[in-house]
Amino acid sequence: MGDETESWAEFDQVFAFDPVFAYGEQTINKIVKSRQSMDNELFIDLLLQTLSIQGPSEVYPPKSNQDLRNLHERILQSSSPPAHQQCVLYYLLKDVPSPDKHAAPPAATFTESVHLPGKYRIFIDGIWLMDRGKYKEGLSHLTEPVLIPTFPEKIISTLCAHRQQRAEEDLALAYYHTVKPVIESYKVLESLFARMVASGVAEPLFWSRGQPEAFRRKLFERLVKEVLDAPEGEERARRSMELVYLPFDADEEGWFEEYLTEGKGKFIPRAKDALRVRAIATGRSDAFVDQGSGLRGDSGGGMEWSGSSFEHGLMTPPR
């Protein structure tokens, strides 16, 4: 391997603190449980795949000292740059508790011995924490300006899936707005969009305009559905009125009407009310034509301006 890998090419040098080290059963079970909670894919799995190590769940966590040795060998056999190989070894060593409370942790000793660049240490620290469910701590590393966004779609989907309470800070949005990564997966875009819709109406609309044309209409219809078809209450009323008074562009104006007259949105109880208020808001009330009795929310051919239906649905426009 050459002099540059002399300090880490041999397993017994990397694990000199305990050449017979093996993961404990409790540690193995925690890792397996974490993988299951993360859609059966840890960040270390993605990292191993970048080294062309397929079937990462079969090699990590290693079940014995021999399995750990085999994994070390496969890492060294990779054609990836040495720094990338060292990153994986650093991740593995972070799983190892310090053999002596007075000694430096094996992971820290390793990074010093191979002079692993700081940006790599920051990244590995971040994904290691994410893999252990410590999302806020992990994000404090993964949002460092020195890092190039890596695995952003996995980070966002993980944070979206594990937000526990509404009152908590939305880490997925915090990560996205801080790092501003490029997202290509519609599934991830939709998850992120749902988080935006949960906290506002105007922001997700304006944000959707910057997304690929192939996704824009889907996202717009998702916004309309989430706002108009929400549970009854003042919050729905306020958000509904905010939606119908937003400055749609020409495409959005057409999508709004088509979705609520011909698409799945026509089954939303407040579809007709939304269309009529939109017509008034845009000065088209005289030109509004009843699109047919198939629309939900039709109250005897007219909008129900009083009573519980309107009171808990579309109310007065926002000031």
Side-chain angles (χ1 to χ4, degrees):
M1 298 300 260
D3 293 339
E4 65 176 354
T5 59
E6 185 176 350
S7 64
W8 54 281
E10 299 296 331
F11 179 90
D12 288 349
Q13 291 181 358
V14 176
F15 291 85
F17 57 90
D18 186 4
V20 295
F21 173 79
Y23 281 55
E25 183 178 356
Q26 185 176 11
T27 299
I28 292 174
N29 290 338
K30 285 183 177 179
I31 293 171
V32 170
K33 186 176 181 180
S34 292
R35 179 180 278 121
Q36 292 172 343
S37 73
M38 293 176 64
D39 201 22
N40 292 315
E41 183 181 67
L42 294 168
F43 285 95
I44 183 60
D45 297 345
L46 299 177
L47 205 58
L48 289 170
Q49 288 171 1
T50 65
L51 268 61
S52 298
I53 298 177
Q54 302 305 315
S57 63
E58 297 176 7
V59 298
Y60 181 84
K63 306 299 191 300
S64 65
N65 178 262
Q66 187 58 55
D67 287 345
L68 183 57
R69 288 175 177 271
N70 292 341
L71 179 54
H72 174 269
E73 183 178 0
R74 292 183 66 177
I75 292 169
L76 269 291
Q77 289 175 345
S78 167
S79 60
S80 297
H84 294 183
Q85 299 175 13
Q86 292 165 1
C87 280
V88 179
L89 293 176
Y90 174 50
Y91 182 105
L92 297 179
L93 287 167
K94 285 181 68 66
D95 290 337
V96 181
S98 179
D100 185 336
K101 65 179 181 179
H102 300 296
T109 301
F110 175 77
T111 58
E112 291 177 6
S113 68
V114 300
H115 306 292
L116 188 66
K119 64 181 180 179
Y120 290 117
R121 294 199 303 270
I122 293 171
F123 174 68
I124 295 301
D125 288 343
I127 65 170
W128 188 86
L129 288 165
M130 294 284 285
D131 279 343
R132 274 134 198 86
K134 299 179 180 180
Y135 305 118
K136 192 167 186 177
E137 294 177 56
L139 214 58
S140 69
H141 293 79
L142 297 173
T143 52
E144 284 287 338
V146 70
L147 297 183
I148 296 173
T150 305
F151 308 143
E153 294 186 350
K154 175 64 175 178
I155 292 171
I156 289 173
S157 61
T158 298
L159 295 173
C160 284
H162 290 87
R163 188 184 183 200
Q164 299 298 319
Q165 299 177 9
R166 187 182 181 89
E168 291 182 350
E169 177 186 4
D170 199 315
L171 297 178
L173 291 180
Y175 172 78
Y176 177 81
H177 290 310
T178 301
V179 178
K180 296 180 173 57
V182 175
I183 307 298
E184 298 180 352
S185 164
Y186 176 72
K187 182 179 179 181
V188 176
L189 275 177
E190 189 177 36
S191 296
L192 188 64
F193 189 69
R195 299 268 29 95
M196 291 184 182
V197 173
S199 58
V201 179
E203 180 192 5
L205 173 67
F206 299 141
W207 177 81
S208 70
R209 293 174 179 172
Q211 305 313 308
E213 284 298 317
F215 300 154
R216 274 196 63 198
R217 181 165 185 166
K218 290 181 181 179
L219 294 173
F220 179 81
E221 292 180 351
R222 172 71 182 266
L223 171 64
V224 175
K225 174 175 172 53
E226 292 296 323
V227 172
L228 297 182
D229 207 24
E232 288 188 5
E234 292 183 4
E235 179 71 3
R236 185 189 71 194
R238 181 190 64 78
R239 285 162 55 86
S240 294
M241 290 306 298
E242 183 178 358
L243 173 68
V244 297
Y245 276 83
L246 283 175
F248 296 163
D249 64 21
D251 287 334
E252 292 159 352
E253 202 71 63
W255 297 338
F256 186 76
E257 186 167 326
E258 289 176 19
Y259 178 64
L260 294 178
T261 58
E262 302 171 14
K264 294 180 180 180
K266 69 181 182 180
F267 298 109
I268 297 174
R270 284 152 294 284
K272 172 160 254 171
D273 286 353
L275 285 167
R276 291 190 171 181
V277 175
R278 179 66 188 175
I280 294 170
T282 55
R284 297 181 296 112
S285 55
D286 292 340
F288 183 81
V289 178
D290 192 341
Q291 298 292 331
S293 59
L295 279 172
R296 298 291 297 276
D298 188 1
S299 304
M303 192 169 181
E304 195 170 333
W305 292 97
S306 61
S308 61
S309 174
F310 186 68
E311 181 178 314
H312 294 294
L314 300 175
M315 296 176 71
T316 55
R319 295 178 179 178

